[in-house]
Amino acid sequence: MTVEHGATLPPRPPGAGALARLASSMAQPILGRIARRVAARHASLFARLGAHQNTDYVIDPVELPFALHLRPDPQALLFRAVPRDALPAAGATIRGRFLMLLELLDAEVDGDAAFFSRDLEITGDTEAVVRLRNALDDVDGSIAEEAAAMFGPPGRAILGHLRRKYSDDAMPRGE
Amino acid sequence: MSLAELICPAGTPAALRTAVDAGADAVYCGFQDATNARNFPGLNFTPEELEEAVAYAHARGAKVLLALNTYPPAGKVDLWRQAADSGARFGVDAFIVADMGVADYIARNHPGVRLHLSVQAAASSPEAIRYYAQHFGVKRVVLPRILTIPEIRKIRQEIPCEIETFIFGNHGLMVEGRCSLTNYLTGQSTNMDGVCSPASEVEYIRDEATGTMSSCLGGFTIDRFGPEEKAGYPTICKGRYTAPHRPEGYYAFEEPVSLNLSRLLPDLIGAGVHAFKIEGRQRSKAYVRSVVSAFRRAVDDIRAGRAANIEDLVALTEGQKQTQGAFETKKWR
């Protein structure tokens, strides 16, 4: 099956104001737990990051009302939701649809192919992005499923729902 | 019929396991240094990882080929010698080399390990290939992607070693091992540092107003993609340039397109090709899993006398375009 994706990403939602701040604050405890668990279970990925353990990555899922800020320093790991009007100065920015980013995280989608199709945009320090991609790609298993499992059956159900929705959205047009 | 071994890429230990599990006959990989031509940030193997990877592959009947396919700068050969010594100690099945000094060192010090001649050596004539076979005991040559199938058949009849050809991935047509385009713009060498378009020199600039994306290397814009255009790698050879006679911009050397020889596999086997190589050590596990699985099934079908049914792999290709290149005709553009 050939899956056609849009050649360009939709415009960013505002991601600012009261709604974005509320959504960010609600997501924060969950993100913190996920980051700590992944770092503890996959400590070897930090070696592939090299000096970019101190890089500030902004991961911008275009459908969400906020972006994500990652600084993968094993000594002071930072992974937080941030309204788009309060983003830090980014060393590198990675932008795409949320579920595609999730599939990239789990090596279900090839990053170069997503870049060729223009579903993935990167700006800033390209080496930082390449290092992060290669570090995550060397992780066995599914980080998304590990994260979902932390929240029991509801977590797995939400992940399953998101994946089905992504699969439906990615069906070839005209069928 | 040749064995039609499937030679698959691995940039990380996880990718190597993925390739082996997907049916690779052999996996090629490199260390985290300038001894191989994919010396990219965060990619490749530590010595400890390579040792574990060899054990994993051998336990499942797959081989590991270690790429030492760059050229040591004058006076800096120790890194290549140490890499060869480590590879031999870990039990790799072959070294993929380009430099004659590296080939000679391995031939003298590790005569029990096969030598394969990298595409980086750009050996495309029977005379050149015979030289490497006779002087260093090279057992296999990886041919440049510039030959037609009749030309490959003729070469096979005139050389004493096996032939490996690329069948999928990067459609690199520059004279490999002699391309200095990256060096020209960045000061870093594809052939000695193992970096073609080093990521540290790459920048993508998006114009929010128009939706265009500029691809820059070393501060030079080498392509600009419209909002609906598919993108390619930021390599100079696949850049789009303006010239007095082409003010609209054009691909002066090559286009962003990938090689896909899935339909030519029977012809390649008939021409005496011993092994099929999938390019892409810099690609993800997702790429490795999809491409290796598809070609595993295809090769098995052909070996069994069935028509091969190759899955559509265009979504994984550069620029989302594919070609059979010179293998089909030298007029492929």
Side-chain angles (χ1 to χ4, degrees):
Chain A
M1 180 181 75
T2 301
V3 177
E4 286 188 9
H5 299 280
T8 53
L9 297 170
R12 287 184 183 87
L19 177 63
R21 290 179 205 293
L22 177 63
S24 301
S25 61
M26 288 174 65
Q28 191 50 56
I30 299 171
L31 294 174
R33 277 187 67 188
I34 291 171
R36 286 191 295 275
R37 172 68 70 92
V38 170
R41 291 180 62 125
H42 305 288
S44 64
L45 69 81
F46 292 104
R48 289 189 182 273
L49 288 167
H52 290 288
Q53 292 178 353
N54 295 314
T55 292
D56 286 301
Y57 294 87
V58 167
I59 301 161
D60 189 3
V62 293
E63 313 97 317
L64 297 193
F66 51 78
L68 303 166
H69 173 205
L70 169 69
R71 189 187 300 145
D73 179 350
Q75 306 306 319
L77 185 62
L78 182 67
F79 188 44
R80 62 188 183 118
V82 186
R84 290 193 174 80
D85 60 355
L87 288 173
T93 298
I94 303 165
R95 182 171 179 244
R97 294 177 190 276
F98 171 66
L99 285 159
M100 188 207 64
L101 295 172
L102 204 61
E103 299 282 290
L104 278 173
L105 180 70
D106 277 352
E108 293 297 324
V109 167
D110 178 68
D112 288 13
F115 173 79
F116 297 149
S117 67
R118 307 285 299 277
D119 290 310
L120 179 69
E121 289 177 5
I122 61 175
T123 51
D125 188 332
T126 307
E127 178 174 319
V129 177
V130 171
R131 279 196 177 273
L132 180 63
R133 191 278 303 266
N134 288 333
L136 291 170
D137 207 62
D138 194 37
V139 171
D140 282 321
S142 165
I143 292 176
E145 286 179 11
E146 280 181 28
M150 290 170 60
F151 304 96
R156 293 192 191 93
I158 291 169
L159 180 63
H161 171 74
L162 291 173
R163 283 180 166 161
R164 283 191 298 277
K165 183 175 185 305
Y166 177 54
S167 178
D168 292 345
D169 289 349
M171 285 298 287
R173 294 174 184 135
E175 289 188 9
Chain B
M1 178 184 282
S2 75
L3 290 174
E5 275 184 38
L6 202 53
I7 315 298
C8 305
T12 63
L16 181 141
R17 293 189 290 273
T18 300
V20 169
D21 295 348
D25 292 308
V27 182
Y28 64 103
C29 53
F31 284 125
Q32 293 177 354
D33 56 35
T35 59
N36 74 96
R38 287 283 184 271
N39 181 22
F40 293 175
L43 204 69
N44 293 324
F45 292 62
T46 64
E48 296 75 21
E49 287 171 343
L50 182 67
E51 186 169 20
E52 291 173 8
V54 170
Y56 185 92
H58 285 178
R60 290 156 182 80
K63 297 172 186 166
V64 175
L65 318 181
L66 182 62
L68 301 178
N69 59 345
T70 43
Y71 293 84
K76 296 185 178 176
V77 296
D78 284 354
L79 186 64
W80 279 256
R81 290 176 178 171
Q82 289 162 8
D85 294 343
S86 296
R89 193 165 64 250
F90 300 150
V92 301
D93 298 277
F95 294 108
I96 307 170
V97 300
D99 179 75
M100 288 190 200
V102 175
D104 183 74
Y105 178 82
I106 294 171
R108 291 177 190 276
N109 292 279
H110 305 293
V113 187
R114 283 169 62 101
L115 273 178
H116 293 183
L117 191 62
S118 171
V119 70
Q120 286 290 104
S124 57
S125 68
E127 292 82 0
I129 297 165
R130 280 199 300 265
Y131 184 88
Y132 286 100
Q134 289 166 2
H135 288 271
F136 309 112
V138 161
K139 296 287 192 295
R140 180 183 296 176
V141 58
V142 184
L143 289 179
R145 286 156 272 203
I146 55 171
L147 298 162
T148 64
I149 291 178
E151 287 174 331
I152 292 171
R153 180 182 292 109
K154 189 167 185 302
I155 288 173
R156 177 68 192 92
Q157 291 163 353
E158 297 179 29
I159 61 172
C161 64
E162 301 165 356
I163 285 179
E164 181 173 309
T165 57
F166 284 92
I167 55 168
F168 191 86
N170 180 37
H171 190 224
L173 300 170
M174 309 308 285
V175 182
E176 285 163 289
R178 297 169 202 167
C179 174
S180 295
L181 289 175
T182 283
N183 203 326
Y184 179 65
L185 284 197
T186 72
Q188 297 184 62
S189 169
T190 301
N191 309 315
M192 292 191 286
D193 300 313
V195 286
C196 175
S197 290
S200 58
E201 299 282 344
V202 173
E203 186 178 13
Y204 300 107
I205 301 171
R206 178 179 159 80
D207 185 325
E208 295 286 349
T210 62
T212 59
M213 180 187 71
S214 296
S215 179
C216 306
L217 181 69
F220 296 90
T221 301
I222 57 176
D223 209 340
R224 181 173 294 130
F225 301 98
E228 299 297 324
E229 273 191 297
K230 308 299 183 191
Y233 282 122
T235 54
I236 304 166
C237 59
K238 296 183 178 178
R240 192 162 30 178
Y241 307 98
T242 57
H245 67 295
R246 298 290 293 271
E248 76 282 9
Y250 76 117
Y251 290 106
F253 305 106
E254 306 173 30
E255 295 179 18
V257 59
S258 289
L259 184 72
N260 184 354
L261 300 188
S262 55
R263 293 178 182 168
L264 296 180
L265 298 183
D267 298 324
L268 290 166
I269 291 171
V273 173
H274 187 92
F276 294 144
K277 184 168 212 146
I278 295 168
E279 185 275 342
R281 282 195 284 141
Q282 76 283 11
R283 302 291 290 263
S284 67
K285 283 183 298 186
Y287 169 94
V288 169
R289 187 184 308 116
S290 298
V291 179
V292 175
S293 299
F295 279 101
R296 175 75 279 156
R297 284 191 291 274
V299 169
D300 288 347
D301 282 343
I302 293 167
R303 280 175 171 170
R306 299 187 295 266
N309 183 19
I310 302 282
E311 292 172 15
D312 187 355
L313 297 171
V314 73
L316 293 167
T317 57
E318 185 176 3
Q320 302 209 319
K321 288 185 291 187
Q322 51 193 0
T323 180
Q324 297 181 130
F327 293 85
E328 180 186 25
T329 169
K330 297 237 175 177
K331 298 178 180 177
W332 75 91
R333 283 190 71 174

